[in-house]
Amino acid sequence: MANILLIEDSIEAQILIQKSLPDHAIEATKFYQEAVKLLETKQYDLILLDLNLPDGNGYDICQQLKEGTNIPRIPIIMITGQSGVEDRIKGLNSGADDYIAKPFSPLELKARIESVLRRGPTRTDQNQLVFGNLTLKIQEQKAYIHADSKQKQIDLTPVEFKILLKLSQSQNTVPRKDLMHFVWGKDFHISPRNVDTHVCKLRKKIEDASLTIKNKRGQGYFLAQTNVPKPVTSFERELPHSL
Amino acid sequence: MKTESQIEPEILEIVPLFLNSRKEDLRHLEDYLQNKNFDEIKKIAHTIKGISRPYGFPTLEDMSRQLETQALEKQPQEIQKTLHEMKTYLSKYIS
């Protein structure tokens, strides 16, 4: 089951699409501004997008998703009454992953959604990692935290970003030696204490996130879920001295 | 509930809602025609065109496509004829 955001101005089209897709969780809105707010605060696997909205244009949403930093990259299928070749090209060029002209067959809609979902998450995974309210944009080497319905960028150094990336890519505890190799390379001489210092600073920078960096004595570091931001004194007490 | 073409049972459940909205649309379309508000006629025709077939009314799609073109070309007499055809067609399904 996928979480789908349906942005469509016709209520009957909304109902029709919802009825056609009983296996998916669909949230619908007819307003552009509401859609942007939903996209900034909730996680969706796919967007079904009509072009003509009462307060905006579907192309703007596509453009915002393509260029913006406040909204995670999500596959988009345009569903619109504009069926000309030029309209289709414009839609695909503005960032849509697929384009369905109205009237559509419910079965075709289902098939296209499955097709886009099959390829969507792979591409998203390659460019972006999401953990709770923390998002890492790999190509841009930037990290963001969702808080109070806003997404704010965390000011990370390249080393801190690499440490966070390495930890987020691993299901297990990452040995300090592996972190050193990943961040600085095997040929670069670096003291293990340097890793601790960077982790300490990084931990402080992500204290508003729903996860934190923990130390498993003698084994290494790992990311752990937490809903309570840690006070500074707490993480200082947990600072590892040796592994 | 009767439709022109066969549709899936889960869609059939919501056909009454669709037909009620078309009844409303016809009323609005006649008002807009009187006021020569071709933009609004075009908008409504465009919406009906996009959803009629999946709800089981392909002929209504053809009529609304025709209506959209007539509104674009600002042809009140042609619009009048198409609205009459739509009304006759829908009366077979709306009780």
Side-chain angles (χ1 to χ4, degrees):
Chain A
M1 186 184 78
N3 285 322
I4 297 175
L5 177 61
L6 170 61
I7 309 167
E8 162 66 63
D9 71 329
S10 158
I11 300 295
E12 287 153 300
Q14 284 184 9
I15 296 168
L16 181 71
I17 291 167
Q18 284 173 323
K19 283 273 180 186
S20 304
L21 303 168
D23 299 334
H24 298 294
I26 299 179
E27 190 158 2
T29 175
K30 63 190 284 191
F31 297 108
Y32 167 75
Q33 292 301 335
E34 191 184 345
V36 171
K37 276 184 194 160
L38 286 168
L39 286 163
E40 284 175 349
T41 52
K42 293 187 179 181
Q43 301 276 333
Y44 296 98
D45 302 303
L46 178 76
I47 297 169
L48 296 175
L49 177 64
D50 186 20
L51 285 181
N52 298 317
L53 305 170
D55 61 341
N57 190 314
Y59 292 124
D60 295 337
I61 291 192
C62 262
Q63 209 63 33
Q64 199 163 346
L65 287 166
K66 206 174 170 186
E67 295 171 357
T69 53
N70 287 340
I71 299 172
R73 181 71 182 92
I74 304 164
I76 301 170
I77 299 178
M78 278 188 177
I79 303 179
T80 168
Q82 289 154 348
S83 56
V85 175
E86 283 179 10
D87 298 315
R88 287 167 189 262
I89 291 170
K90 191 176 174 188
L92 293 170
N93 282 344
S94 70
D97 296 79
D98 203 351
Y99 193 107
I100 302 178
K102 289 178 188 169
F104 57 85
S105 137
L107 290 175
E108 185 192 358
L109 177 64
K110 272 186 211 172
R112 284 183 185 255
I113 286 172
E114 298 309 323
S115 164
V116 168
L117 284 174
R118 273 199 300 273
R119 60 184 195 251
T122 308
R123 191 182 55 179
T124 305
D125 287 346
Q126 283 170 357
N127 296 326
Q128 177 175 294
L129 293 167
V130 179
F131 299 92
N133 66 351
L134 180 70
T135 300
L136 300 185
K137 299 212 171 186
I138 299 167
Q139 280 178 355
E140 296 96 324
Q141 300 220 339
K142 287 178 180 169
Y144 300 87
I145 289 180
H146 269 292
D148 303 325
S149 304
K150 285 181 185 165
Q151 196 167 34
K152 66 171 183 182
Q153 190 182 335
I154 316 167
D155 185 21
L156 297 182
T157 64
V159 165
E160 287 163 353
F161 182 85
K162 279 187 173 179
I163 291 173
L164 193 54
L165 180 62
K166 180 68 180 170
L167 293 175
S168 60
Q169 285 173 331
S170 177
Q171 305 268 335
N172 306 310
T173 303
V174 181
R176 199 159 36 167
K177 196 173 145 194
D178 287 2
L179 274 178
M180 285 156 66
H181 288 169
F182 180 77
V183 176
W184 289 277
K186 284 185 182 175
D187 298 330
F188 199 88
H189 180 72
I190 189 100
S191 156
R193 291 290 300 159
N194 274 344
V195 178
D196 298 341
T197 306
H198 287 293
V199 167
C200 175
K201 286 179 183 169
L202 176 57
R203 197 183 270 147
K204 189 172 181 182
K205 287 182 181 180
I206 63 165
E207 64 187 358
D208 289 337
S210 57
L211 47 77
T212 188
I213 302 169
K214 294 225 171 185
N215 172 35
K216 196 177 263 185
R217 189 167 288 275
Q219 293 183 47
Y221 291 105
F222 64 98
L223 286 179
Q225 291 289 332
T226 173
N227 292 321
V228 185
K230 288 184 189 313
V232 173
T233 49
S234 170
F235 88 74
E236 281 175 340
R237 275 200 302 273
E238 281 185 19
L239 180 66
H241 295 292
S242 61
L243 291 172
Chain B
M1 180 52 59
K2 198 167 62 163
T3 56
E4 185 189 345
S5 64
Q6 203 177 348
I7 55 171
E8 292 184 44
E10 61 264 32
I11 309 294
L12 196 62
E13 287 170 16
I14 49 173
V15 167
L17 174 81
F18 172 85
L19 290 172
N20 273 338
S21 299
R22 300 299 71 80
K23 216 153 86 173
E24 290 282 305
D25 281 344
L26 278 176
R27 224 180 45 232
H28 291 308
L29 285 165
E30 280 168 352
D31 289 346
Y32 289 136
L33 179 60
Q34 274 197 338
N35 301 325
K36 293 200 165 41
N37 189 341
F38 297 109
D39 278 348
E40 286 303 317
I41 294 174
K42 188 160 66 76
K43 271 188 207 166
I44 294 176
H46 182 81
T47 302
I48 301 173
K49 183 185 77 178
I51 55 174
S52 295
R53 188 174 293 268
Y55 274 101
F57 300 97
T59 301
L60 188 61
E61 180 197 319
D62 297 337
M63 289 174 177
S64 49
R65 180 176 291 109
Q66 195 174 301
L67 186 64
E68 189 182 14
T69 309
Q70 291 161 348
L72 192 72
E73 294 171 359
K74 299 183 178 166
Q75 300 172 323
Q77 287 180 339
E78 298 304 313
I79 291 171
Q80 182 74 64
K81 275 187 208 164
T82 306
L83 287 184
H84 181 72
E85 284 170 18
M86 280 175 122
K87 224 172 178 175
T88 309
Y89 170 81
L90 283 169
S91 66
K92 288 188 279 184
Y93 304 100
I94 298 173
S95 51

